[in-house]
Structures are given as structure tokens and as C-alpha cells.
Amino acid sequence: MLTTLRRIVLEFSQDTQLQSALERMVSQIKNSLKTDCCSVYLANYSQQHFLLMASDGLAKDSFGQTTIGFSEGLIGLVGQREEPLNIANARSHPHYIHAPEVEEDDFNAFLGTPIIHQRKVLGILSIQQKHARYFNEDEEAFLVTLAAQLASALSNAEVKNLFSQEENRGVKQLLGIAGAPGIALSQIVVFQPKADLSTIAIQKVNSSKQSEQSQKFESAVNKTLADFEQLSRKLSNIITDDNLAIFDVYIQLLEQADIRQEVLAKISQGWQAESALKLVIEHYVMQFEAIDDSYLKERASDIRDLGNRLLLNLQQQTTQKLTLPEAFILLAEDVTASMLAEYQHKGLQAIVSLSGSANSHAAILAHALELPAIMGVNSIPVAQLDQQQAIVDGYSGELFINPDEALKREYQHLIAQESELTNKIQQDIHFPTITPDGRAIELQLNAGLSAGFECPDNLGALGIGLYRTEIPFMNRHCFPSEHEQTKLYEQILSGFPRKPVTMRTLDVGGDKSLPYFPITEDNPFLGWRGIRITLDHPEIFLVQVRAMMRANQHHKNLEIMLPMISNVGEVDEAIRLINQAYFEVKSEIKNKLAAECSLHDRDTYSDQNNLLPRPKIGIMLEVPAVIFQLEELAQRVDFFSVGSNDLTQYLLAVDRNNAQVASLHDAYHPAVLRALNSIAEQSAKYLVPLSLCGELAGEPAGALLLLAMGFDKLSMNGHNIARIKWVIRHVDFQRAKVILSHTLKLTTAKQVHSYLNEQLEQLDLGGFIRAGM
């Protein structure tokens, strides 16, 4: 039976047409179980009924015609109960409904089971027999198992089928990730890259042609560098120089990172230039895609974009020329920052990317260009969306294909509302973040690749609350030197003069692997990572901390944060090493100054004797164990910073990158909110400054709760700072405390979301829900 199950599911998944797949499947099930009839019904939630799609045993004329309401008949009962229903004589059951058009009068025995995907009933699978009997345990187990295995394949097939039926011209709704706020109503233009590394076959060349291949690659590199400089110039009059830093990143990847050298090394080993490029780029892409941190994971898209641009120039092709209407929505498998630069001045209204997240550089650049963006839309047949009318809701992540007039009018009203709300937000952008009744809180930036790109100066961030130091360690074949790290950290510190910059020490391991420092574990999230690695390798930790100290010598705004702390001993050992690095660097500076100063400059030397400031040291609260050690930890560190994304993941035992359980990852879960409140109360008791860096800080409702709890600082992506500042400036602290008090009494995340949305509406902040801001 197991072989039969696998064969049925495999053949269903491989069929490109949903109807033929369903018809073949019911016949296979009927023959395998030797029943008289097998049928499949699919749920239509807009019409609130199940539709008979295919059957081997019922009248063919009823396919696609016969409907059964969600609360009607045996089929509706199976859907309501969400469990199998096994009946010996169906016609005697009180829920039985006679449907003469299906011609099932001869059937008595009935077994139905729901097809459920991610808690949603997609359809009902049923078998029937003329002889009145209960189906046995093996038959029931077979049907239930088959339905469970079919659920995922059926979900994907239904999405694809939405666009394959010409007669179905109704509005179609797809859901992705809200990438950049805004609403657009326009025509879709599909972008299919002319050069795609994934299509390249790996080949070797004769040794006599290696020099020619190297020269060919070098020419492609030079042309690619020129391309990125040109794209940057196209945007230079539209957005600030800080926002153009993404193209500096591309250039640095080619000029300073090891990608160029690694490709040339592959060519010298006998690989064709295109093959060498593919091997190197795919290695880096796999490395970044394996990372759990959603911000760092998105750098894979940058590397892939760079590789495809290099391939385009290697093949000496010209950039794709699309036939464009006056206004359009750009849709692609992977929308990149370079695509936005290429088309933003040609009528681009919004972007839709089948991959990526709100942390991708395409989404960040879309924010800067004020273009709505949806990322990570479920797999759909891209080509069939070309030239179709659509609505992009960059607040909710909803994409509506072929919208009707009523939906268009609704969104045109929201566009007008959005414009009014945006103007209001801009009016407060340069004011301090203080509630009307006088409670102040600092808003800071989460950064990691280029702080300037992620937050222009005019957004008003009061420093960096989280600077991820991992990326410089990843784009290499060996650990960066102390000098290299010092130069990088100095650039970051200088970008925020007289404002604190909190640098998190190296947080790699397991899910964030380094190519030159491989780590293989069965469970990386609970394994050797973060502070555990750097304490086991003090030579790595000391070099990084020394570089931070040196970079801070003249800026005096560095704060050091330790990741993945789970016990007091880790903090003690880390502080010991930090002190060691501090006194080493201080001694080296003193000796250098002493050597440079003459006897006549002793007074100058004396004045400069204390040039090296000792940075504040803090820890990330992301492992639940530290919640019960805050009193001891408060005696050792200068500040606490909650990593709400990881804390939520560990508290709820949910991997948010696992699609099967990602919906359970909710920072508004009562347990998470109560944990955060407990942390805030203890931090206040022990007089330790408290911040939070995570997605919760960048959400209006979340920011109000954290404000009420007593958090001193909130750190978020740059594009959220203006709206969170506006919200806090328009809600009294005392009102926020009342909202928090009631929220902490609720028992489910659903209740919390409902209540907070209701409160935002009462505060005249409903626009932040409806238009998602």
C-alpha cells in the first residue's frame, strides 16, 4: 500500500493540469481500494461550498456543477468536523442530502476524509460502495494518509490552476510578505532575466584557453562595475546618497571581496568562465540561504543578482528591453535592487517578487523610492500574470489579480487616505519621540551591511541599536584581520557621531556557517553558536574586540553587545576577555604616543593618556533562561537588549523559517508579552537600561506595548522609524499603560491582535491597520 500511496501522490504532483490530475487520482484510489466509487470535492470559500471536481462512479455531467454547502450533507459534515466520517448506510444518516444529478442512489457505504493544509480544509476525498458496510481500518488509514500527503501538492496545484482557466476571470487573491508600504493599481509586466546562472551547464576548457577565459571574465567584471555605477547615477537625483550605498556594496563585493579571485582560481583549475562563476556564486548563495537570521539570509539575493549581471556581461548580452506601458507593476521570480534602478524612471508603480522578504535590498530600496512592494508570494505561473491588471497592497502583502470595479474603488479610497497619513507622518519626522504627556523613548536602527543605506540621516535614528558584524566574515575565504575590521567599524562609528552604536560580537554557528570554519550539527538553533563559539575561540573574539576598541578611539560612541547569553559564567568570561583586549590596545596606544612624543611634548602626552574610552557592555536577552538570572546579570553589564525574534522562537518552540509552523511564531502570544513585561519590570528594579531589537519594535501596536512596559529604546529597520515616532507622539503614555494592562490579561494571540486593532481604531490610528502602516 505504501508504494501505491507514493505513486498516486507523485503522479498528482507532476501533472500540470489540476483537472486531469484529479480525475486520474480518483480512478487510482477506486482501483487500489476496490470500491465502487471515489470522488473529490474542493472548497470554495468565497461561495461557502464544496464543488464536485472529479469522480469515478458519479455522473460525469455533474463535475464542476454540483455544489454542497459547507454546512450541508455528509460532505459538509466531514468539512465541519475536520475528521473522517465512516458510515455503513449513508442514506439513513440525518445529514444525507439526495442529489439526483450525481446518480448515487445505488451507493450505501460512505467514507469521507478532509484534505487539510495549514489548518485550512482544501477539500473532501470520499469513497462509496453499493454494499452497506463500514470500511475497515486499513481502508480508512489509506484514505486519511493519502489525503494528508496530497494536501501540500493540492494547495500548490490550486494556486497554479487559478490562472490556467480562461473562463475564470474573477478576482484572484494571493498573499505574500509586506515588503514596502503603499498601494498601486496598474498592469503587471513580468521580468524574465536573459542571463540565469541556474541554467548554465558545468564545463571545463582546454588549458590553452585558460588565459582567454580569464581575460573574458575580467572584461565582464569591468563592464559590471560600470553598470552599477550607471545605475547609481540614475537614482542620484531621486534619493539620498545614503540610499545609493547598495550599489557600493555590489562594487565592494567585486573589488574587495574574494568572489573575483575565487572565480579566477576556478578558471586556472580548468573551468570555463561561466562555469567558474556559477560554482563560486552558488557556493555563496547556499551559504547565505542556510542562515536563520532573515536579514542575513536576504544577502543571497544580492549575490545571485551580482552573479547574473556578471553572466550577462560574460555572454556579451545587452540588458533586457521590456515593452512597457505608461504605468506598470514589475513582477519577477526575484526582484533585485538593480531592477528597481533600471525601471524606476519608466513608470514603475510597485514591485512583486516571488522570493525575498522585507529585509531584502529590493524592499529597502523600494521604501526609499516610495514604491509599494510584496515579497515572497507563493509559487505561481509567472508568465500567465503578464499584462494582467492587479492591485498591490504593500501594507498587508495582498496581491489582487483582475480586480473588479468595487475592489478598485475601495483601494482608490485607501490610496487617498494613505497620501493624507503619509503627509502627517512627515510633519513630525524631526521632532523628538515623546508622548503628549511627556514620556520619552529613543528610536534606533538595526543595521548590518551598510548603515547609511538602511537609514538616511533625515529619518532621525538616535544611533544604532543593533549592528550585525557577521557579513564581513562571510564574504571571504578566511577570517578578516584586525586592521580590516578596524577600518569597517570606524566607518560605522563615524556615521553616527555623538550617538551610540551598539555592535553585536560575532554571532555565527550552525545556521550561519562560514565557508572556512564549517560547523555541522543536527540542531543548530540549540547548538554551538554565538557567544559559545567565540568563547571557545578567544583568538577570534579578542581580534574583533580589539578592532572595535581601535575604531572607537576617536569616536567614543561604541557599545558592545554579547549574543546568545544563557548563563552568568559566559558573561564573566566575555568581560574578562574584553578587559584584556582593552588594556592591550590602551597599552599599545600609550607606547605609540610615547615613542612619537619628544621630551618637549610631555604635557601633550599626558593629556592624551586617556584617549581610549572603555565602551559599555551589554547582553542580548534571547534565551529564556536569562529571564531568571537578571539580578545577577544586572551586576555585571551596563544594559540589556531583548532580541524579540529569537526570544519568541525559543519561548514558543517554533522555527519561524519552517512553513508548517511559521504561523505559530507570534510575538503577541500572551506568554511572550508577559515575558517581555517581566524583563522590563526587573530591569527597572535593578536600574539597567533596556532596549528591544526585533520586528515587534517596528509595529505600531508593539511599540505602544513596549513603551508602556518601560523599555528605554526601540531598535528597528530604518523605514519604520518615522511611523513609530508619529504613533508615539500621538498617544499618551497613561493610555498606553491602560492598553498594556488589559492586553496582559488576554489568553490568546488572536484576542490580543483583535483588541489592539480595536484600540488603534479608537485612537484614530486605524490607518495604520487598514493601510497597514
Side-chain angles (χ1 to χ4, degrees):
M1 279 296 189
L2 183 59
T3 302
T4 303
L5 274 169
R6 289 173 175 170
R7 176 172 54 82
I8 293 173
V9 174
L10 179 62
E11 292 183 8
F12 179 88
S13 302
Q14 291 177 339
D15 200 319
T16 58
Q17 298 296 320
L18 177 60
Q19 189 60 38
S20 64
L22 292 172
E23 290 176 2
R24 182 177 59 251
M25 178 188 72
V26 293
S27 294
Q28 289 174 324
I29 296 172
K30 175 184 173 182
N31 294 332
S32 299
L33 295 178
K34 295 180 174 56
T35 64
D36 297 322
C37 178
C38 177
S39 308
V40 61
Y41 299 78
L42 295 187
N44 184 324
Y45 280 86
S46 63
Q47 300 295 324
Q48 290 290 293
H49 65 223
F50 292 103
L51 177 66
L52 175 61
M53 293 295 296
S55 177
D56 188 341
L58 299 182
K60 287 190 176 182
D61 292 343
S62 62
F63 298 178
Q65 303 297 321
T66 297
T67 61
I68 299 175
F70 280 173
S71 59
E72 298 176 346
L74 298 177
I75 296 298
L77 184 61
V78 173
Q80 282 184 319
R81 292 172 52 167
E82 298 184 353
E83 63 179 347
L85 184 63
N86 192 346
I87 304 171
N89 192 333
R91 285 185 291 177
S92 65
H93 194 279
H95 281 79
Y96 177 80
I97 292 179
H98 181 242
E101 71 274 14
V102 301
E103 300 178 6
E104 62 175 350
D105 293 348
D106 292 338
F107 300 127
N108 288 289
F110 172 90
L111 172 62
T113 188
I115 304 171
I116 301 176
H117 179 66
Q118 295 183 350
R119 304 190 182 187
K120 182 179 181 181
V121 176
L122 302 181
I124 307 295
L125 193 58
S126 71
I127 55 177
Q128 294 170 273
Q129 201 151 14
K130 295 177 181 179
H131 178 62
R133 70 177 181 92
Y134 288 103
F135 288 95
N136 62 43
E137 290 183 358
D138 290 340
E139 291 168 320
E140 184 171 335
F142 179 91
L143 200 65
V144 170
T145 305
L146 182 61
Q149 292 189 14
L150 280 171
S152 180
L154 180 59
S155 177
N156 292 331
E158 279 196 298
V159 170
K160 294 177 181 178
N161 190 60
L162 281 175
F163 307 98
S164 63
Q165 299 177 17
E166 286 298 321
E167 67 276 9
N168 183 11
R169 300 299 298 169
V171 61
K172 307 170 186 73
Q173 181 181 0
L174 299 172
L175 185 63
I177 298 166
I183 299 168
L185 198 169
S186 194
Q187 179 180 331
I188 289 177
V189 172
V190 173
F191 181 93
Q192 306 261 11
K194 291 175 69 175
D196 186 350
L197 278 173
S198 65
T199 64
I200 297 297
I202 301 297
Q203 298 178 9
K204 286 204 168 187
V205 294
N206 191 287
S207 58
S208 62
K209 295 184 178 181
Q210 288 178 11
S211 177
E212 175 188 336
Q213 293 289 306
S214 295
Q215 291 175 6
K216 180 181 174 183
F217 176 70
E218 289 285 12
S219 297
V221 168
N222 294 332
K223 177 65 169 63
T224 303
L225 289 170
D227 288 345
F228 288 131
E229 289 172 357
Q230 181 182 9
L231 292 173
S232 181
R233 285 195 298 272
K234 284 183 178 180
L235 294 174
S236 60
N237 295 325
I238 303 173
I239 58 178
T240 65
D241 290 342
D242 293 326
N243 283 307
L244 295 174
I246 176 56
F247 298 106
D248 294 335
V249 171
Y250 281 119
I251 292 169
Q252 289 170 10
L253 286 171
L254 280 179
E255 290 185 335
Q256 299 176 16
D258 296 315
I259 291 177
R260 188 176 193 162
Q261 287 70 31
E262 288 185 31
V263 173
L264 291 172
K266 293 285 186 186
I267 293 174
S268 68
Q269 295 169 11
W271 297 103
Q272 182 192 50
E274 288 88 342
S275 299
L277 176 64
K278 177 175 182 173
L279 291 169
V280 171
I281 292 296
E282 287 188 346
H283 168 75
Y284 279 101
V285 167
M286 289 176 61
Q287 180 183 331
F288 278 97
E289 285 183 338
I291 297 173
D292 174 51
D293 187 298
S294 59
Y295 179 90
L296 298 178
K297 184 190 289 285
E298 283 304 322
R299 304 295 72 83
S301 176
D302 300 333
I303 300 292
R304 190 183 295 109
D305 183 31
L306 175 62
N308 286 335
R309 176 73 62 160
L310 281 166
L311 179 63
L312 185 79
N313 291 321
L314 261 178
Q315 297 175 338
Q316 297 182 333
Q317 298 188 61
T318 57
T319 306
Q320 180 179 352
K321 302 295 182 183
L322 294 176
T323 301
L324 301 174
E326 290 185 5
F328 65 96
I329 296 165
L330 181 67
L331 184 147
E333 291 280 350
D334 185 11
V335 176
T336 63
S338 61
M339 288 183 197
L340 266 73
E342 190 77 37
Y343 295 106
Q344 52 79 27
H345 61 297
K346 298 179 180 179
L348 181 61
Q349 302 296 305
I351 62 171
V352 178
S353 181
L354 271 61
S355 61
S357 73
N359 288 311
S360 71
H361 276 138
I364 296 172
L365 188 55
H367 269 279
L369 293 169
E370 298 182 355
L371 293 172
I374 299 178
M375 318 298 290
V377 182
N378 288 331
S379 296
I380 51 178
V382 173
Q384 296 182 35
L385 294 179
D386 198 30
Q387 309 302 314
Q388 294 209 42
Q389 285 288 317
I391 293 174
V392 169
D393 188 336
Y395 297 113
S396 65
E398 292 174 296
L399 174 65
F400 297 94
I401 308 298
N402 192 30
D404 57 28
E405 290 302 318
L407 192 59
K408 287 180 182 179
R409 285 194 299 271
E410 179 183 345
Y411 269 92
Q412 284 166 348
H413 173 71
L414 287 177
I415 289 172
Q417 186 183 59
E418 172 198 31
S419 177
E420 181 181 353
L421 196 55
T422 300
N423 291 334
K424 287 182 180 179
I425 289 174
Q426 294 303 314
Q427 293 172 7
D428 281 12
I429 201 167
H430 297 297
F431 291 106
T433 312
I434 302 176
T435 65
D437 54 354
R439 178 75 174 199
I441 191 169
E442 294 184 21
L443 303 186
Q444 295 184 310
L445 171 70
N446 290 341
L449 189 56
S450 172
F453 169 64
E454 293 155 294
C455 184
D457 293 336
N458 61 7
L459 287 188
L462 295 180
I464 296 180
L466 168 63
Y467 180 77
R468 307 169 178 90
T469 61
E470 290 79 40
I471 285 184
F473 286 79
M474 293 179 175
N475 298 333
R476 312 175 52 82
H477 64 272
C478 63
F479 285 104
S481 68
E482 182 176 331
H483 176 70
E484 289 173 306
Q485 292 186 62
T486 300
K487 286 180 61 180
L488 172 64
Y489 301 150
E490 194 162 15
Q491 290 174 5
I492 303 302
L493 294 171
S494 65
F496 287 82
R498 296 178 299 281
K499 296 178 182 178
V501 174
T502 304
M503 293 188 173
R504 182 177 68 189
T505 59
L506 185 63
D507 186 13
V508 297
D511 61 318
K512 303 177 193 173
S513 62
L514 302 176
Y516 47 87
F517 192 69
I519 301 169
T520 303
E521 294 182 294
D522 292 334
N523 193 340
F525 303 108
L526 302 179
W528 198 45
R529 59 176 299 189
I531 197 68
R532 297 168 183 173
I533 289 180
T534 49
L535 290 183
D536 284 350
H537 284 273
E539 73 280 12
I540 299 172
F541 186 73
L542 284 168
V543 168
Q544 183 178 38
V545 174
R546 283 169 56 90
M548 290 179 179
M549 299 284 189
R550 289 190 187 281
N552 190 46
Q553 181 182 357
H554 301 298
H555 300 291
K556 303 179 176 62
N557 58 342
L558 169 70
E559 297 182 353
I560 296 176
M561 185 159 64
L562 307 172
M564 284 295 295
I565 293 296
S566 61
N567 62 71
V568 172
E570 292 170 338
V571 177
D572 289 339
E573 180 62 11
I575 291 176
R576 183 189 71 78
L577 292 172
I578 291 172
N579 288 336
Q580 176 183 330
Y582 172 76
F583 288 114
E584 287 174 356
V585 174
K586 185 175 182 179
S587 176
E588 291 170 13
I589 292 174
K590 282 184 178 180
N591 293 337
K592 182 179 179 181
L593 285 172
E596 293 174 352
C597 291
S598 65
L599 292 174
H600 301 289
D601 294 326
R602 287 188 181 274
D603 290 340
T604 302
Y605 168 67
S606 177
D607 291 340
Q608 296 181 0
N609 201 22
N610 295 315
L611 273 179
L612 187 67
R614 190 183 187 282
K616 292 181 179 179
I617 301 171
I619 60 171
M620 291 201 74
L621 308 181
E622 46 196 341
V623 178
V626 296
I627 299 175
F628 306 97
Q629 304 174 73
L630 292 180
E631 181 177 4
E632 295 83 0
L633 292 167
Q635 299 168 18
R636 291 164 166 81
V637 299
D638 301 304
F639 64 91
F640 295 145
S641 181
V642 176
S644 62
N645 296 345
D646 274 344
L647 181 62
T648 301
Q649 178 169 259
Y650 287 127
L651 275 173
L652 303 183
V654 172
D655 176 4
R656 62 189 182 136
N657 292 317
N658 181 339
Q660 297 293 330
V661 296
S663 62
L664 301 177
H665 186 281
D666 192 337
Y668 295 92
H669 188 290
V672 177
L673 294 179
R674 292 170 190 174
L676 292 173
N677 192 57
S678 173
I679 290 170
E681 290 177 343
Q682 292 184 70
S683 298
K685 178 180 178 181
Y686 303 126
L687 303 178
V688 180
L690 178 65
S691 65
L692 182 141
C693 47
E695 294 173 7
L696 185 65
E699 299 172 1
L704 289 178
L705 293 178
L706 296 170
L707 169 75
M709 290 177 189
F711 279 75
D712 304 294
K713 301 177 182 180
L714 303 180
S715 189
M716 64 200 72
N717 291 337
H719 52 258
N720 287 325
I721 289 176
R723 64 173 182 158
I724 297 303
K725 176 179 290 189
W726 194 90
V727 168
I728 291 175
R729 285 181 54 81
H730 289 79
V731 178
D732 283 336
F733 177 63
Q734 292 304 318
R735 178 65 183 274
K737 286 183 70 69
V738 171
I739 293 173
L740 172 66
S741 177
H742 184 80
T743 300
L744 293 175
K745 297 174 184 176
L746 300 176
T747 56
T748 68
K750 184 177 181 180
Q751 291 176 348
V752 172
H753 284 291
S754 178
Y755 172 71
L756 292 177
N757 287 345
E758 173 188 309
Q759 292 302 303
L760 288 178
E761 290 282 5
Q762 292 181 11
L763 291 165
D764 292 328
L765 300 175
F768 290 92
I769 308 168
R770 293 186 300 275
M773 296 183 64

